[in-house]
């Protein structure tokens, strides 16, 4: 029987994806990318989706990068196709309409760091190590790192990481804004569960609108982006969710979304 490369656990629209190649530290080969893409295509059309968490199997790694063995003998054309495959898959992840959380439980290198950058949240264990070590292999990041990393942490730090290939610990990743939270490894799972439950428990239409406003707004000039915010703010008043949220506040009870 073939190995399940992406394990999917669905708890009422809160979906957990586990990249399952622990013996290779969950390195991303073309089969893993194809399977991830297939899973994301299924998720993106679902109205009941609330939040997505992505992590790596085993105790040691989130993802230790693109698969170096698979890449070693590639021609430039094959490398281009591999990069495009990953970029398309990561774009699907980035543009899921609900919050996405990278739960980083160890090595988060190269394509692994790029995968985390395609998520809205990154929560790391205190022993996690991050980096874009591609220059040590004679290449550059090819799964979005040269573009998403400077947008997340600024160009100076992105240039530092992409040209030295050095690894940084979770504390430094937190300091530069690469991750949102750092937890003791023993508490990481519980926190991931708590966070996704919290995200999934908020008004689903409002959460989707907040993500859309931030993601789409960043691609526009400020005035257009502010107009987008106004449109989405008004849209929130069109459904039951806003009435329930505000009524619950006035009636001093918890909202039921
Ligand atoms: N690709 C393929 N296999 C990998 C891998 C990768 N990126 N990273 C680790 N593995 C494999 C190892 O080959 C090893 O397999 P075997 O047991 O069959 O030998 C297994 O995972 C365990 O790894 P190690 O024995 O090396 O474990 P370690 O604890 O000694 O070291 C590590 C851990 C520091 C993460 C080390 O494995 C390492 O440096 N890995 C490569 C990290 C890297 O360079 N990533 C960037 C890849 S390039 C990229 O991602 C380009 C891009 O942008 C598209």
């Amino acid at each position: 029987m073939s190995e399940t490369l992406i394990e999917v656990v669905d708890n009422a629209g809160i979906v957990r994806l586990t990249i399952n190649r622990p013996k290779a530290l969950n390195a991303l080969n073309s089969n893993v990318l194809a399977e991830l893409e297939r899973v994301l295509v299924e998720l993106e059309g679902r109205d009941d989706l609330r939040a997505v968490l992505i992590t790596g199997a085993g105790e040691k790694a989130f993802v230790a990068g693109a698969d170096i063995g698979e890449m070693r003998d590639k021609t430039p054309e094959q490398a281009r196709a591999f990069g495009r495959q990953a970029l398309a898959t990561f774009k699907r992840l980035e543009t899921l309409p609900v919050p996405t959380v990278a739960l980083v439980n160890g090595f988060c290198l190269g394509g692994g760091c790029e995968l985390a950058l395609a998520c809205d949240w990154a929560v790391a264990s205190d022993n996690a190590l991050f980096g874009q070590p591609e220059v040590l292999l004679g290449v550059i990041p090819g799964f979005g790192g040269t573009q998403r990393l400077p947008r997340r942490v600024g160009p100076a730090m992105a240039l530092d990481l992409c040209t030295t290939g050095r690894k940084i610990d979770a504390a430094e990743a937190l300091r530069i804004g690469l991750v949102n939270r750092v937890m003791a490894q023993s508490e990481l799972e519980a926190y991931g569960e708590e966070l996704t439950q919290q995200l999934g428990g908020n008004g689903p239409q409002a959460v989707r609108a907040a993500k859309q406003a931030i993601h789409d707004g960043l691609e526009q000039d400020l005035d257009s982006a502010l107009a987008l915010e106004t449109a989405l703010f008004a849209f929130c008043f069109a459904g039951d969710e806003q009435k329930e949220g505000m009524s619950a506040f006035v009636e001093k009870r918890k909202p039921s979304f």
Side-chain angles (χ1 to χ4, degrees), residues 66-85:
D67 191 302
I68 299 168
E70 181 177 321
M71 284 187 294
R72 186 177 61 171
D73 296 324
K74 283 195 189 300
T75 64
E77 268 320 301
Q78 290 166 334
R80 191 191 310 277
F82 190 47
R84 283 182 173 156
Q85 179 189 18

Side-chain angles (χ1 to χ4, degrees), residues 13-198:
I14 296 176
V15 176
R16 179 193 171 93
L17 307 179
T18 304
I19 298 173
N20 186 31
R21 276 191 88 199
K23 286 187 187 141
L25 304 187
N26 304 314
L28 302 173
N29 61 19
S30 35
N31 290 338
V32 173
L33 291 171
E35 186 58 14
L36 181 58
E37 167 123 29
R38 191 189 63 72
V39 168
L40 292 171
V41 167
E42 277 179 14
L43 292 181
E44 64 194 6
R46 277 182 45 183
D47 290 340
D48 66 332
L49 194 65
R50 293 276 184 130
V52 173
L53 180 145
I54 186 161
T55 193
E59 296 287 295
K60 212 171 152 182
F62 173 67
V63 168
D67 191 302
I68 299 168
E70 181 177 321
M71 284 187 294
R72 186 177 61 171
D73 296 324
K74 283 195 189 300
T75 64
E77 268 320 301
Q78 290 166 334
R80 191 191 310 277
F82 190 47
R84 283 182 173 156
Q85 179 189 18
L87 286 185
T89 304
F90 288 12
K91 190 76 185 172
R92 282 192 193 284
L93 178 62
E94 185 173 48
T95 56
L96 280 178
V98 299
T100 51
V101 178
L103 199 70
V104 178
N105 51 339
F107 291 112
C108 184
L109 301 172
C113 194
E114 294 165 296
L115 178 65
L117 286 165
C119 294
D120 301 316
W121 282 76
V123 180
S125 58
D126 51 7
N127 65 336
L129 281 180
F130 295 80
Q132 297 290 165
E134 287 85 354
V135 286
L136 307 177
L137 299 165
V139 295
I140 65 168
F143 291 0
T146 65
Q147 304 309 312
R148 290 197 178 96
L149 187 60
R151 284 166 170 77
R152 177 84 51 105
V153 303
M157 190 52 74
L159 269 159
D160 171 341
L161 295 175
C162 290
T163 57
T164 64
R166 74 185 175 95
K167 298 181 185 65
I168 60 172
D169 62 18
E172 186 169 1
L174 181 66
R175 188 175 58 72
I176 67 173
L178 179 55
V179 302
N180 301 66
R181 300 263 194 291
V182 176
M183 312 294 299
Q185 192 174 29
S186 58
E187 291 167 23
L188 187 70
E189 279 298 322
Y191 181 72
E193 175 70 20
E194 183 189 320
L195 175 62
T196 47
Q197 288 294 337
Q198 184 191 351

